[in-house]
Amino acid sequence: MSAAATRTVYRDALVERMGADSTAVCLDTDTGLFSGVDFGDAAARYINLGIAEHTLMGVAAGMAASGWRPYVNTMAAFAGARALEAVKIDIAYNGLPVRIMATHSGVSAGHLGPTHHALEDLAVMRVLPNMTVVVPADGASTSALLGQVAELPGPVYVRLGRKPTPSLPEDTPPPVLGLIQRLRDGGEVVLVCAGPLPVLAALEAAETLAAEDGLDVGVLHAHTLKPFDTATLTAATAGARLVVTVEEHWPAGGLGSAVAEELAEHAPRPLLRIAMPDRFVDTVGGQERLMADNGITAEGVTARMRAKLAGLAGPAGTATVPGTQTRPSP
Amino acid sequence: MSAAATRTVYRDALVERMGADSTAVCLDTDTGLFSGVDFGDAAARYINLGIAEHTLMGVAAGMAASGWRPYVNTMAAFAGARALEAVKIDIAYNGLPVRIMATHSGVSAGHLGPTHHALEDLAVMRVLPNMTVVVPADGASTSALLGQVAELPGPVYVRLGRKPTPSLPEDTPPPVLGLIQRLRDGGEVVLVCAGPLPVLAALEAAETLAAEDGLDVGVLHAHTLKPFDTATLTAATAGARLVVTVEEHWPAGGLGSAVAEELAEHAPRPLLRIAMPDRFVDTVGGQERLMADNGITAEGVTARMRAKLAGLAGPAGTATVPGTQTRPSP
Amino acid sequence: MTAVAGADTGAETSPPVAVETTPETGAAPDSEFLRETALRIRRHIVDMCAGPEGGHLGGSLSSADILTVLYFSVLRCDPAAPHDPARDVFLLSKGHGAIGLYATLAERGYFPVSELETYARPGGRLMGHPVRAVPGVEMPTGSLGHGLALGLGFALSARLASRTNRAFVLMGDGELQEGSCWEAAIAASAQGADNLVAVVDRNGLQLTGETEGIAPLEPMAERWRSFNWAVREVDGHDHEALREALASAPWEPGRPSLVVARTVKGQGLPMVAGKVHSHYATLSERMHARAVRALRAGER
Amino acid sequence: MTAVAGADTGAETSPPVAVETTPETGAAPDSEFLRETALRIRRHIVDMCAGPEGGHLGGSLSSADILTVLYFSVLRCDPAAPHDPARDVFLLSKGHGAIGLYATLAERGYFPVSELETYARPGGRLMGHPVRAVPGVEMPTGSLGHGLALGLGFALSARLASRTNRAFVLMGDGELQEGSCWEAAIAASAQGADNLVAVVDRNGLQLTGETEGIAPLEPMAERWRSFNWAVREVDGHDHEALREALASAPWEPGRPSLVVARTVKGQGLPMVAGKVHSHYATLSERMHARAVRALRAGER
Ligand SMILES: Cc1ncc(C[n+]2csc(CCOP(=O)(O)OP(=O)(O)O)c2C)c(N)n1
Ligand SMILES: Cc1ncc(C[n+]2csc(CCOP(=O)(O)OP(=O)(O)O)c2C)c(N)n1
Ligand SMILES: [Mg+2]
Ligand SMILES: [Mg+2]
């Protein structure tokens, strides 16, 4: 399986974009992502503002209001937390076309620890009006989504990683911004996932559950968290016994919440949310290990789904989701 | 009906607390909330740091780590957005007993506009591990909850308003931190609400729907958003045809999401989330008006519930929550 | 909430010129005209503070002369073409001075003066802090410490497009306790953004007291100089001094410019001038009448 | 992740004294001892950079002498009582210099030197940035611009409890581009926190280049003076000069103290010294061996 770091794929795509779009601007905060990069004729449109994340967002807003299309560069923890108020007021409120390119998301910073992890960013960005929130799952989806992001008239948050992560299967078609991508058909149990390792874990878990448990398992790739594709979700989960979300984020406010909100409002379904536990991750390890330690692997997902499915099946094989059996017919 | 501003009730309670607890410290950021206040012997423990919200959180963390119990004072927009990273790392990660007293929450800043509104704070605080998130609904519940908050060993976010809002009915017992308060019994339709105007709107809507539509309507006061009282929620909604949340917050990540998460995982139920719409509020008006403009009144809640209930009842009176009728028996 | 129409990235347009003429008479804006304009602006401020929500009286009055000079003899701007890419941009970083800005924009012709009566009234668009729905407002402000970075964004935009327009930012002195101001100050001098001009409304007071008692900002000029800005100090109520300083910026090539405008909070109203409680006021009918008389008397 | 045990709010305890004796010999920490200790710390830094993840080599080496002097001749601290309320507190605001801090804490006796081998290895507690699970680490850092406000919190805590202990904060020079540093600097001098001592590791380099090329920080000393701090500049590799400056703080009653420590990024390793790419390195076996030889040679 090939591998790529979504941030370097983005970097290379941006260099190209800067050449093609004379309104694109790259605003940097001493990240090092562009060290040694040659922007060619576009060099004047690369600006390193120093270690200054609030300023970054404010400058980007001023430039976007003047007709430029800034790509701002920082880590997810600094975009979503350190500079949040500038994102909220200067960028989101004004609906300005700033592209917030956030690297080191989730626990991809690995051993760098809690100050460099961002397990809150999706909750934070999703609550902001006017914001488009995108989570690519590998190099190919990063390229595909970036091309579409470039055309958006409003602000976008793009969640990127740090080190290479394995690619999705080669035959995966390019994702379409705003639309859930069906990676595997199946309606009995439906996995909804976002981000490199969660998507791979979900695909493999689906395979296992189909092969070993005879289940009909679907996998939905929800790369666009906002706006959320309600229609595809409700259609794909209409007959499901169980919906499962898998993500690299704390439990509140991320993909699991988005799906919970949609399902509860449009088509109540038993839901299992698999996310990073509600605590800071301060054990040493790389991204893959830290997620494995917390159950986000194919095996972990499989095991939790089996347990949940066993709980759903009552003594006489009837649904025992608390309360369902007592639902009064209206 | 009497009225009080939760922030002034808090202020008066803090003055008392500072007298009684020699480890309590009041850290201010030029808010004006304490202008003219006499802390008496505790005066040395009042410190105005100037207009410096990030510093506020860092100083509070350092003091809490040294054994003090800081009450930090700023507006909700500046606590949850401007200073978020300091809250995340310095306070939440360390689990330090800092009390974040956030005034001007929701749209209580009224005509002061989007820079002073905080419709994202609950999403932001709820995603942080170790954080207790509390939303008092009136003066009495503010006093009651503050007394309990004072004893907590970890960080707390307390969401306060700006101007006086009407009190809950006089016979309302004091809320218990961490436990949902049943304000009205009823199991057919259950309203879950938090914050002054939403609770009042919910209570009145419940009355109307009981009187006019013959429904058995319960009202739950979910003043503690984190940790969330799953047990009471699932018990109280076990037989419900519809659960409705009412809050002064944007739709993603707040009370509605907390309830959606809990229901979907523990007891799927049709849910209607009533929140401020997903856009910045920049029309002129006071808190009550801005909420009314956006449907958060007794009438608005009543109307939306009626519409939702009508949608739930299918042509033959059977449930038509999308998909429920096709749920395969396991 | 929609983005500004039209890309500002190099299209050739003829730049609007600064008002070297008064809007009404066609004559040069003499000191009398500026004085009268400032008085009208102060009158509007006082009127708005008698409205339903009151208003940020003191800081709006301390900024009134700065705004008058900027909009009537310094800024290249045209109310008829508020999005002209070649315009000079103004940002009220101390967004709580909104009523002063509204009064100035109305007097300058961005919208009818009569609209000022709608301030803080439901149905209107004049909120307690500036929002972009109001013609002439470039960016919403109100959370302190945002304006300088925004201004730098506009300044860099102009430079990238090879334009000569400037960005002006008005900050409060208490506002300078926010670290974001200094962060942007570092970036601005680092970028050599000499088309960025900042003014500090140095009225010595913040919300709860004297800046020097709460968190001192002196030596103010030295601070900015050490951040590699060009600095001038002027009497913030002296139109000619303000005009000279503002119009002639940049004073040092490659450096952003900072005007320390020494002002009095509540200037023009002896009953509140220099007093901390001037910060926010809701004027009763009686107080309003007294304030109007005081303004008139002061001008004579 | 648990709060520090025991309230630090006035209980009478006898304060630990600064190490006026070397841990091993009982003799005064002469220059030879400090030099050897710093060399051992540098050796640990180099070793950790040869581990699985590499490490922040340059900035850790530039801080090594500052940390040596602090922990071995300035701080009143006791590894046996790391939570003693009377201790001096140290915060590594430039948290990416973690390996230098770990090496120093281990040498000072907070945990076994052998544990340094576990750096960045699963199962261990030594992460890329300091966390409180590590004995001696007061606060987690790593996001730049947090240390000074935290330090002010400790300093104010001591004062409120009528204690004489101090808080020391080590910042990077690039870090000073963060506005939060200046925000805390204003609050600290406003509070007259003269038990707060900050050191800037002035190595002239940040992650991608020279600070003066990216966002200049000079005139550094003037900046801090204009923020009402007492300032001294020293050679950040001269133990005696560092010790003199740090041990004698506060230098001016009522003012926090700032040491501008002129350093070389990568100091001790000629192959990377003064080079921007020293910032982060994963040393191969060959490079590691070369580095160890260079350290030894430099010390002779
Ligand atoms: C980030 C932020 N913190 C706090 C406030 C509340 N606030 C509004 S005005 C003000 C005082 C500002 O003082 P100054 O900048 O000196 O303004 P002026 O004296 O010109 O009115 C404060 C604390 C705010 N608007 N934004
Ligand atoms: C808030 C924040 N932004 C960005 C970074 C990434 N970062 C880590 S070290 C560094 C350069 C720091 O330079 P300096 O402070 O001079 O450190 P030194 O030269 O001593 O290594 C950067 C940008 C960070 N850790 N925190
Ligand atoms: Mg002022
Ligand atoms: Mg450096």
Side-chain angles (χ1 to χ4, degrees), chain B residues 282-284, chain C residues 102 110-112 115 118 120-121 123-127 129 131 133-135:
Chain B
D282 53 6
T283 49
V284 178
Chain C
Y102 297 153
Y110 281 87
F111 53 85
E115 188 176 341
T118 68
R121 289 185 203 274
R125 55 188 175 178
L126 302 183
M127 309 199 71
H129 296 93
V131 297
V134 179

PDB file of all heavy atoms in Angstrom, chain B residues 282-284, chain C residues 102 110-112 115 118 120-121 123-127 129 131 133-135:
ATOM      1  N   ASP B 282     -26.681  39.482  13.439  1.00  0.00           N
ATOM      2  CA  ASP B 282     -26.290  40.885  13.388  1.00  0.00           C
ATOM      3  C   ASP B 282     -27.457  41.796  13.049  1.00  0.00           C
ATOM      4  O   ASP B 282     -27.323  42.775  12.330  1.00  0.00           O
ATOM      5  CB  ASP B 282     -25.079  41.126  12.477  1.00  0.00           C
ATOM      6  CG  ASP B 282     -25.259  40.564  11.083  1.00  0.00           C
ATOM      7  OD1 ASP B 282     -26.363  40.092  10.767  1.00  0.00           O
ATOM      8  OD2 ASP B 282     -24.285  40.611  10.314  1.00  0.00           O
ATOM      9  N   THR B 283     -28.596  41.449  13.643  1.00  0.00           N
ATOM     10  CA  THR B 283     -29.687  42.406  13.639  1.00  0.00           C
ATOM     11  C   THR B 283     -29.707  43.047  15.015  1.00  0.00           C
ATOM     12  O   THR B 283     -29.232  42.461  15.990  1.00  0.00           O
ATOM     13  CB  THR B 283     -31.027  41.716  13.353  1.00  0.00           C
ATOM     14  OG1 THR B 283     -31.142  40.578  14.220  1.00  0.00           O
ATOM     15  CG2 THR B 283     -31.076  41.238  11.917  1.00  0.00           C
ATOM     16  N   VAL B 284     -30.217  44.253  15.082  1.00  0.00           N
ATOM     17  CA  VAL B 284     -30.214  44.984  16.347  1.00  0.00           C
ATOM     18  C   VAL B 284     -31.331  44.473  17.248  1.00  0.00           C
ATOM     19  O   VAL B 284     -32.458  44.266  16.793  1.00  0.00           O
ATOM     20  CB  VAL B 284     -30.406  46.489  16.094  1.00  0.00           C
ATOM     21  CG1 VAL B 284     -30.450  47.243  17.431  1.00  0.00           C
ATOM     22  CG2 VAL B 284     -29.286  47.030  15.213  1.00  0.00           C
TER      23      VAL B 284
ATOM     24  N   TYR C 102     -20.000  55.875  13.100  1.00  0.00           N
ATOM     25  CA  TYR C 102     -21.255  56.045  12.371  1.00  0.00           C
ATOM     26  C   TYR C 102     -21.502  57.523  12.085  1.00  0.00           C
ATOM     27  O   TYR C 102     -21.889  57.910  10.971  1.00  0.00           O
ATOM     28  CB  TYR C 102     -22.439  55.502  13.185  1.00  0.00           C
ATOM     29  CG  TYR C 102     -22.393  54.017  13.479  1.00  0.00           C
ATOM     30  CD1 TYR C 102     -23.028  53.499  14.602  1.00  0.00           C
ATOM     31  CD2 TYR C 102     -21.722  53.124  12.639  1.00  0.00           C
ATOM     32  CE1 TYR C 102     -23.009  52.147  14.888  1.00  0.00           C
ATOM     33  CE2 TYR C 102     -21.695  51.773  12.924  1.00  0.00           C
ATOM     34  CZ  TYR C 102     -22.328  51.285  14.057  1.00  0.00           C
ATOM     35  OH  TYR C 102     -22.308  49.942  14.334  1.00  0.00           O
ATOM     36  N   TYR C 110     -21.715  58.535   3.603  1.00  0.00           N
ATOM     37  CA  TYR C 110     -21.865  57.103   3.334  1.00  0.00           C
ATOM     38  C   TYR C 110     -23.304  56.640   3.499  1.00  0.00           C
ATOM     39  O   TYR C 110     -23.729  55.675   2.888  1.00  0.00           O
ATOM     40  CB  TYR C 110     -20.936  56.279   4.241  1.00  0.00           C
ATOM     41  CG  TYR C 110     -19.516  56.261   3.750  1.00  0.00           C
ATOM     42  CD1 TYR C 110     -18.618  57.258   4.104  1.00  0.00           C
ATOM     43  CD2 TYR C 110     -19.066  55.258   2.894  1.00  0.00           C
ATOM     44  CE1 TYR C 110     -17.313  57.256   3.649  1.00  0.00           C
ATOM     45  CE2 TYR C 110     -17.767  55.236   2.426  1.00  0.00           C
ATOM     46  CZ  TYR C 110     -16.886  56.234   2.805  1.00  0.00           C
ATOM     47  OH  TYR C 110     -15.606  56.224   2.336  1.00  0.00           O
ATOM     48  N   PHE C 111     -24.033  57.329   4.378  1.00  0.00           N
ATOM     49  CA  PHE C 111     -25.462  57.055   4.523  1.00  0.00           C
ATOM     50  C   PHE C 111     -26.087  58.298   5.138  1.00  0.00           C
ATOM     51  O   PHE C 111     -25.366  59.159   5.667  1.00  0.00           O
ATOM     52  CB  PHE C 111     -25.720  55.783   5.343  1.00  0.00           C
ATOM     53  CG  PHE C 111     -25.055  55.736   6.687  1.00  0.00           C
ATOM     54  CD1 PHE C 111     -25.656  56.316   7.808  1.00  0.00           C
ATOM     55  CD2 PHE C 111     -23.815  55.110   6.846  1.00  0.00           C
ATOM     56  CE1 PHE C 111     -25.043  56.268   9.048  1.00  0.00           C
ATOM     57  CE2 PHE C 111     -23.190  55.065   8.094  1.00  0.00           C
ATOM     58  CZ  PHE C 111     -23.805  55.648   9.196  1.00  0.00           C
ATOM     59  N   PRO C 112     -27.402  58.408   5.081  1.00  0.00           N
ATOM     60  CA  PRO C 112     -28.042  59.648   5.545  1.00  0.00           C
ATOM     61  C   PRO C 112     -27.828  59.873   7.039  1.00  0.00           C
ATOM     62  O   PRO C 112     -27.893  58.931   7.826  1.00  0.00           O
ATOM     63  CB  PRO C 112     -29.531  59.418   5.265  1.00  0.00           C
ATOM     64  CG  PRO C 112     -29.585  58.302   4.278  1.00  0.00           C
ATOM     65  CD  PRO C 112     -28.368  57.469   4.496  1.00  0.00           C
ATOM     66  N   GLU C 115     -30.214  58.442   9.509  1.00  0.00           N
ATOM     67  CA  GLU C 115     -30.173  57.041   9.940  1.00  0.00           C
ATOM     68  C   GLU C 115     -29.564  56.884  11.333  1.00  0.00           C
ATOM     69  O   GLU C 115     -29.787  55.876  12.009  1.00  0.00           O
ATOM     70  CB  GLU C 115     -29.418  56.176   8.923  1.00  0.00           C
ATOM     71  CG  GLU C 115     -29.545  54.689   9.252  1.00  0.00           C
ATOM     72  CD  GLU C 115     -28.912  53.748   8.233  1.00  0.00           C
ATOM     73  OE1 GLU C 115     -28.676  54.179   7.085  1.00  0.00           O
ATOM     74  OE2 GLU C 115     -28.660  52.581   8.598  1.00  0.00           O
ATOM     75  N   THR C 118     -31.493  55.657  14.208  1.00  0.00           N
ATOM     76  CA  THR C 118     -31.858  54.243  14.360  1.00  0.00           C
ATOM     77  C   THR C 118     -30.849  53.488  15.207  1.00  0.00           C
ATOM     78  O   THR C 118     -30.988  52.282  15.425  1.00  0.00           O
ATOM     79  CB  THR C 118     -31.947  53.541  12.988  1.00  0.00           C
ATOM     80  OG1 THR C 118     -30.625  53.473  12.432  1.00  0.00           O
ATOM     81  CG2 THR C 118     -32.848  54.311  12.040  1.00  0.00           C
ATOM     82  N   ALA C 120     -28.939  51.390  17.600  1.00  0.00           N
ATOM     83  CA  ALA C 120     -29.325  50.455  18.659  1.00  0.00           C
ATOM     84  C   ALA C 120     -30.826  50.209  18.721  1.00  0.00           C
ATOM     85  O   ALA C 120     -31.339  49.723  19.732  1.00  0.00           O
ATOM     86  CB  ALA C 120     -28.797  50.900  20.020  1.00  0.00           C
ATOM     87  N   ARG C 121     -31.510  50.581  17.648  1.00  0.00           N
ATOM     88  CA  ARG C 121     -32.950  50.327  17.628  1.00  0.00           C
ATOM     89  C   ARG C 121     -33.256  49.154  16.706  1.00  0.00           C
ATOM     90  O   ARG C 121     -32.747  49.088  15.583  1.00  0.00           O
ATOM     91  CB  ARG C 121     -33.701  51.570  17.136  1.00  0.00           C
ATOM     92  CG  ARG C 121     -33.693  52.694  18.144  1.00  0.00           C
ATOM     93  CD  ARG C 121     -34.547  53.879  17.683  1.00  0.00           C
ATOM     94  NE  ARG C 121     -34.117  55.097  18.358  1.00  0.00           N
ATOM     95  CZ  ARG C 121     -34.560  55.482  19.552  1.00  0.00           C
ATOM     96  NH1 ARG C 121     -35.444  54.758  20.195  1.00  0.00           N
ATOM     97  NH2 ARG C 121     -34.101  56.583  20.120  1.00  0.00           N
ATOM     98  N   GLY C 123     -34.524  46.768  13.994  1.00  0.00           N
ATOM     99  CA  GLY C 123     -34.891  47.087  12.623  1.00  0.00           C
ATOM    100  C   GLY C 123     -33.779  47.835  11.909  1.00  0.00           C
ATOM    101  O   GLY C 123     -33.708  47.830  10.690  1.00  0.00           O
ATOM    102  N   GLY C 124     -32.903  48.465  12.681  1.00  0.00           N
ATOM    103  CA  GLY C 124     -31.806  49.214  12.072  1.00  0.00           C
ATOM    104  C   GLY C 124     -30.581  48.352  11.854  1.00  0.00           C
ATOM    105  O   GLY C 124     -30.577  47.164  12.189  1.00  0.00           O
ATOM    106  N   ARG C 125     -29.549  48.977  11.307  1.00  0.00           N
ATOM    107  CA  ARG C 125     -28.322  48.211  11.090  1.00  0.00           C
ATOM    108  C   ARG C 125     -27.156  48.762  11.906  1.00  0.00           C
ATOM    109  O   ARG C 125     -26.040  48.276  11.811  1.00  0.00           O
ATOM    110  CB  ARG C 125     -27.967  48.185   9.598  1.00  0.00           C
ATOM    111  CG  ARG C 125     -27.858  49.554   8.969  1.00  0.00           C
ATOM    112  CD  ARG C 125     -27.688  49.471   7.441  1.00  0.00           C
ATOM    113  NE  ARG C 125     -27.696  50.824   6.871  1.00  0.00           N
ATOM    114  CZ  ARG C 125     -27.532  51.096   5.584  1.00  0.00           C
ATOM    115  NH1 ARG C 125     -27.365  50.116   4.712  1.00  0.00           N
ATOM    116  NH2 ARG C 125     -27.550  52.342   5.152  1.00  0.00           N
ATOM    117  N   LEU C 126     -27.417  49.795  12.696  1.00  0.00           N
ATOM    118  CA  LEU C 126     -26.342  50.394  13.470  1.00  0.00           C
ATOM    119  C   LEU C 126     -26.249  49.716  14.840  1.00  0.00           C
ATOM    120  O   LEU C 126     -26.952  50.068  15.779  1.00  0.00           O
ATOM    121  CB  LEU C 126     -26.577  51.901  13.620  1.00  0.00           C
ATOM    122  CG  LEU C 126     -26.706  52.686  12.305  1.00  0.00           C
ATOM    123  CD1 LEU C 126     -26.872  54.181  12.593  1.00  0.00           C
ATOM    124  CD2 LEU C 126     -25.497  52.465  11.395  1.00  0.00           C
ATOM    125  N   MET C 127     -25.352  48.743  14.936  1.00  0.00           N
ATOM    126  CA  MET C 127     -25.205  47.984  16.182  1.00  0.00           C
ATOM    127  C   MET C 127     -24.195  48.667  17.100  1.00  0.00           C
ATOM    128  O   MET C 127     -23.524  49.617  16.712  1.00  0.00           O
ATOM    129  CB  MET C 127     -24.730  46.577  15.870  1.00  0.00           C
ATOM    130  CG  MET C 127     -25.545  45.877  14.809  1.00  0.00           C
ATOM    131  SD  MET C 127     -25.325  44.092  14.857  1.00  0.00           S
ATOM    132  CE  MET C 127     -26.200  43.683  16.361  1.00  0.00           C
ATOM    133  N   HIS C 129     -21.357  47.725  17.924  1.00  0.00           N
ATOM    134  CA  HIS C 129     -20.018  47.671  17.326  1.00  0.00           C
ATOM    135  C   HIS C 129     -20.201  47.599  15.818  1.00  0.00           C
ATOM    136  O   HIS C 129     -21.201  47.073  15.340  1.00  0.00           O
ATOM    137  CB  HIS C 129     -19.231  46.467  17.846  1.00  0.00           C
ATOM    138  CG  HIS C 129     -18.957  46.525  19.322  1.00  0.00           C
ATOM    139  ND1 HIS C 129     -19.791  45.941  20.252  1.00  0.00           N
ATOM    140  CD2 HIS C 129     -17.966  47.130  20.037  1.00  0.00           C
ATOM    141  CE1 HIS C 129     -19.313  46.178  21.483  1.00  0.00           C
ATOM    142  NE2 HIS C 129     -18.223  46.904  21.379  1.00  0.00           N
ATOM    143  N   VAL C 131     -20.521  46.766  12.030  1.00  0.00           N
ATOM    144  CA  VAL C 131     -20.628  45.572  11.189  1.00  0.00           C
ATOM    145  C   VAL C 131     -20.620  46.001   9.722  1.00  0.00           C
ATOM    146  O   VAL C 131     -20.911  47.151   9.401  1.00  0.00           O
ATOM    147  CB  VAL C 131     -21.906  44.753  11.497  1.00  0.00           C
ATOM    148  CG1 VAL C 131     -21.861  44.229  12.935  1.00  0.00           C
ATOM    149  CG2 VAL C 131     -23.144  45.590  11.292  1.00  0.00           C
ATOM    150  N   ALA C 133     -22.493  45.549   7.339  1.00  0.00           N
ATOM    151  CA  ALA C 133     -23.740  45.955   6.696  1.00  0.00           C
ATOM    152  C   ALA C 133     -23.818  47.484   6.594  1.00  0.00           C
ATOM    153  O   ALA C 133     -24.549  48.015   5.762  1.00  0.00           O
ATOM    154  CB  ALA C 133     -24.933  45.430   7.488  1.00  0.00           C
ATOM    155  N   VAL C 134     -23.067  48.178   7.415  1.00  0.00           N
ATOM    156  CA  VAL C 134     -23.099  49.642   7.401  1.00  0.00           C
ATOM    157  C   VAL C 134     -22.142  50.161   6.330  1.00  0.00           C
ATOM    158  O   VAL C 134     -20.951  49.836   6.364  1.00  0.00           O
ATOM    159  CB  VAL C 134     -22.685  50.195   8.787  1.00  0.00           C
ATOM    160  CG1 VAL C 134     -22.699  51.718   8.784  1.00  0.00           C
ATOM    161  CG2 VAL C 134     -23.579  49.636   9.879  1.00  0.00           C
ATOM    162  N   PRO C 135     -22.650  50.949   5.403  1.00  0.00           N
ATOM    163  CA  PRO C 135     -21.774  51.445   4.327  1.00  0.00           C
ATOM    164  C   PRO C 135     -20.572  52.185   4.900  1.00  0.00           C
ATOM    165  O   PRO C 135     -20.718  53.030   5.778  1.00  0.00           O
ATOM    166  CB  PRO C 135     -22.683  52.402   3.557  1.00  0.00           C
ATOM    167  CG  PRO C 135     -24.072  51.920   3.838  1.00  0.00           C
ATOM    168  CD  PRO C 135     -24.040  51.385   5.233  1.00  0.00           C
TER     169      PRO C 135
END
